[in-house]
Amino acid sequence: MASISVLARTRLFNHSTTRFFSPFKPHSSPFLLQCATKTTCALQQSRRNVIEILEERGLLESITSDALRAACSSPVKVYCGFDPTGESLHLGNLLGIIVLSWFHRSGHGAVALIGGATARVGDPSGKSLERPELDTESLEKNTVGISNTIKRILGRGRNPISVDSDLSVVILNNYDWWKEFSLLDFLKRVGRFARVGSMISKESVRKRLESEEGISFTEFTYQLLQGYDFLHLFQNEGISVQIGGSDQWGNITAGTELIRKILHVKDAYGLTFPLLLKSDGTKFGKSEDGAIWLSPKFLSPYKFYQYFFSITDDDVIRFLRILTFLDIEEIVALEREMAKPGYVPNTAQRRLAEEVTRFVHGEEGLAEALQATEALKPGSGTKLDWKTIEGIAEDVPSCSLAYEEVLNLSLVDLSVSSGLFESKSAARRLLKQGGLYLNNSRVDSEGKRIEAADIVDGKVLLLSAGKKNKVLVRIA
C-alpha cells in the first residue's frame, strides 16, 4: 500500500486515552494477573518506551493513535496474527515475532494468534488472486507446524510461552471462538456495524476490485473476521494493541473501528511495521529455491545461516537494526568499521547471521550452522560426518553410484564421472595446482584411489574443486 506517515495516520485515527478495560485490574483473568506480576520487574528495568525502540530500529510504519505511546508507559497486551496457510512460517513472518518479542522484553504481554478460522477464508491483502482453499487436515497440520515454530522461537530464555494462557507469551487460535458462530450471529453482531463504503475503501479490497479477477464475497468479509478477532480479544483477554505488516493496515483499523462502534471506547490501538524489503525494493526472504523457512524441517540452520551471511553490504546494517536485538551502539560501531580501510569483509554479515540464527534456531541450531560452515570449507581439517554433509545436500549437485563402482576408482576418474570436471585433463590440472579436495582434504597425488575409509559413514563422498564448486557422491 502507499506509504502514509505515522503522523498523518495518527491524525486520522487519534482517540482519547480513556481506558475501558484495564487488563491488570483484580477482575481480570488469572492469566492477565500473572502477566502483571511477571512484567512489573521487566518494566522497571526497561526505561524506554517500546514505541521509541521500534521507531529507532526502523520497525514502526504507522500507529492508529499517538495515544499508544502513553499507553505503552504501562503494561499493555499486544497480539499478532499468523494464518496457517503453510506448515511453516517464513522470513516475512519473522518481523511480527520480533516486534512481539520487543513488546515482551519491554514488559508487555504478548499473544500469537493462529488464524485457524481466518485461514479458511484467505486474506486478500497483497494478493492478486484468491488463495486456494485448504482442507481441514491441511489446516490442522499447518496449525501444529506454525504453533511449534512460534513456541520454539519465543519459548526460549526470557520469552516463556504457554498455550494455556498462564504466562506472558501466549498462543491462541481464533477457530476456538469462530467454530460456534453462525451466519446469523455474524450478521447481527458484526455485519450491522460494518459500512460497505468503508470496506471498499481499504487498499487490499480496492486493488482487487480494480483488477481483472475482482474479489469474492468471502475475501471481502475477511477484514470483518479479523476485526471481530480484535474485538473478542479486547473484551475477553484485555488485549488492546494489534500489530501487523504495513499491508495489514486496513484489517487492523477494521478492528479498532469495530471496537469503537460496539463498545464505545477508543483505547484499542493498531501498529504496523514495514514489509521486509531489500535496498533495491525487492522482497527480502526469498532465495532462488523459494521461501526462507523458519522451521528446521524445511530449511536447515546451516542454510538459514548462509542466507544471512550472503546479505549485501548495502542491506546488512539495516537488517542488524530490524532483525536483531543488538544494542544500537554496537550496530553503529560495526557500521563505522565497515568504512575503515582495515575492515575484514563480511564481519557485519557474520554477526547478522549469528544473531538471527540464534534467535530462530537457538544456540544448538547456531552451533550446528557454524560447525557445518567450518567443516565444509575445503582444507579446514574438520572431520566430516554424514549429517553435516546432508545439511548441504540440496545446495550442491549430486549423483548416485554403486559401492563397487566407486571403490578403487581413481579420484581423477570419479571427478569426471560425478560431473565435477568435464575432462580428466582439467581435473589433473587443478590437482597439480592444489585445488582438488576429497572430503575437504586436499589431494596431492594424481594416483589417489577411493578407499573404503574415504566413504563418510559408508554413505557419501564430497568432492570439491576450489572453495565453491562441490559434488556430492551418494553411495547406492
Side-chain angles (χ1 to χ4, degrees):
M1 65 184 301
S3 176
I4 301 177
S5 70
V6 172
L7 180 59
R9 282 188 173 165
T10 54
R11 284 174 179 166
L12 288 171
F13 291 89
N14 193 24
H15 306 313
S16 69
T17 57
T18 304
R19 186 166 294 280
F20 166 73
F21 180 88
S22 176
F24 299 115
K25 286 183 179 179
H27 62 260
S28 300
S29 69
F31 158 60
L32 297 175
L33 292 174
Q34 285 200 14
C35 285
T37 303
K38 291 177 179 289
T39 56
T40 298
C41 293
L43 274 177
Q44 290 173 345
Q45 296 173 4
S46 179
R47 297 179 180 179
R48 295 192 62 198
N49 191 296
V50 65
I51 306 300
E52 294 176 2
I53 294 173
L54 297 177
E55 276 186 310
E56 180 181 53
R57 303 188 78 94
L59 284 168
L60 183 64
E61 175 88 3
S62 305
I63 54 178
T64 55
S65 169
D66 206 49
L68 177 59
R69 300 174 188 274
C72 286
S73 62
S74 300
V76 298
K77 291 195 64 189
V78 56
Y79 88 95
C80 185
F82 302 92
D83 276 353
T85 53
E87 195 176 347
S88 172
L89 297 176
H90 53 76
L91 199 55
N93 303 122
L94 184 59
L95 278 186
I97 297 175
I98 287 174
V99 175
L100 274 182
S101 189
W102 272 118
F103 269 91
H104 181 249
R105 290 163 185 250
S106 301
H108 304 286
V111 173
L113 179 66
I114 308 300
T118 42
R120 286 165 163 81
V121 173
D123 184 2
S125 301
K127 302 294 179 183
S128 58
L129 295 172
E130 188 163 1
R131 292 180 184 271
E133 185 177 353
L134 295 172
D135 58 60
T136 302
E137 183 179 348
S138 296
L139 280 168
E140 291 176 352
K141 184 179 180 181
N142 294 348
T143 296
V144 171
I146 68 172
S147 296
N148 288 338
T149 297
I150 294 170
K151 282 189 282 186
R152 178 172 51 82
I153 297 174
L154 291 181
R156 297 190 193 99
R158 65 194 304 169
N159 291 300
I161 193 164
S162 173
V163 294
D164 298 317
S165 299
D166 61 354
L167 290 173
S168 57
V169 179
V170 182
I171 296 178
L172 299 175
N173 190 331
N174 64 9
Y175 187 66
D176 291 338
W177 53 85
W178 278 112
K179 61 185 177 183
E180 304 297 337
F181 233 87
S182 72
L183 176 59
L184 292 178
D185 289 334
F186 177 72
L187 293 175
K188 179 180 178 181
R189 294 164 62 177
V190 181
R192 69 192 184 97
F193 293 98
R195 292 295 173 265
V196 174
S198 176
M199 294 175 67
I200 291 176
S201 69
K202 304 293 185 183
E203 184 83 3
S204 59
V205 173
R206 186 172 55 79
K207 282 189 173 182
R208 287 291 295 277
L209 286 173
E210 294 171 352
S211 70
E212 186 176 335
E213 292 78 12
I215 187 170
S216 70
F217 175 75
T218 301
E219 286 185 299
F220 182 60
T221 60
Y222 184 93
Q223 59 182 283
L224 296 182
L225 301 182
Q226 185 169 327
Y228 181 80
D229 283 342
F230 198 178
L231 172 67
H232 175 90
L233 294 171
F234 186 87
Q235 285 183 300
N236 294 280
E237 298 290 349
I239 295 174
S240 58
V241 183
Q242 181 183 178
I243 66 171
S246 58
D247 59 347
Q248 291 296 304
W249 178 257
N251 294 333
I252 291 174
T253 54
T256 57
E257 291 167 5
L258 200 60
I259 291 170
R260 178 175 56 83
K261 290 177 180 178
I262 294 177
L263 301 181
H264 307 293
V265 296
K266 301 177 181 179
D267 56 342
Y269 308 103
L271 179 152
T272 60
F273 43 82
L275 297 179
L276 208 51
L277 301 175
K278 296 180 182 179
S279 57
D280 60 4
T282 59
K283 199 168 186 178
F284 180 71
K286 298 278 187 180
S287 69
E288 292 181 359
D289 299 322
I292 303 301
W293 303 108
L294 304 187
S295 169
K297 179 180 177 181
F298 296 96
L299 190 74
S300 70
Y302 165 75
K303 295 174 189 173
F304 187 86
Y305 176 94
Q306 289 297 321
Y307 180 79
F308 285 96
F309 188 76
S310 64
I311 296 303
T312 66
D313 286 350
D314 291 336
D315 289 317
V316 65
I317 295 301
R318 182 165 58 90
F319 290 152
L320 279 166
R321 287 175 177 266
I322 293 173
L323 299 173
T324 78
F325 299 90
L326 292 176
D327 290 338
I328 289 295
E329 293 75 15
E330 185 173 352
I331 297 173
V332 170
L334 271 170
E335 188 174 19
R336 291 198 193 102
E337 287 298 317
M338 290 180 69
K340 294 180 179 179
Y343 171 71
V344 178
N346 293 324
T347 298
Q349 282 86 344
R350 181 176 293 105
R351 191 61 193 277
L352 173 67
E354 288 177 357
E355 292 298 318
V356 181
T357 304
R358 181 185 289 111
F359 180 66
V360 173
H361 294 290
E363 292 291 350
E364 184 178 340
L366 175 59
E368 178 185 328
L370 292 175
Q371 179 184 1
T373 299
E374 180 61 29
L376 293 171
K377 290 179 181 177
S380 66
T382 304
K383 185 178 180 180
L384 291 174
D385 56 30
W386 175 73
K387 182 181 178 182
T388 301
I389 294 177
E390 278 296 303
I392 65 160
E394 294 181 7
D395 294 337
V396 299
S398 65
C399 67
S400 294
L401 295 173
Y403 183 83
E404 294 77 13
E405 291 182 78
V406 174
L407 196 64
N408 294 322
L409 184 66
S410 75
L411 180 61
V412 170
D413 287 339
L414 181 60
S415 298
V416 175
S417 61
S418 65
L420 184 63
F421 292 100
E422 292 184 355
S423 66
K424 293 181 182 181
S425 59
R428 292 191 185 100
R429 186 164 50 250
L430 189 64
L431 187 149
K432 291 177 181 178
Q433 295 171 354
L436 183 59
Y437 295 83
L438 172 63
N439 298 332
N440 281 353
S441 296
R442 188 171 66 189
V443 178
D444 297 317
S445 172
E446 189 176 325
K448 167 66 181 174
R449 291 183 176 274
I450 304 300
E451 304 172 29
D454 294 324
I455 303 174
V456 178
D457 295 338
K459 298 178 179 180
V460 291
L461 290 164
L462 183 65
L463 307 183
S464 303
K467 293 183 178 181
K468 294 185 177 181
N469 295 324
K470 301 177 188 293
V471 167
L472 184 66
V473 180
R474 300 181 186 274
I475 307 304

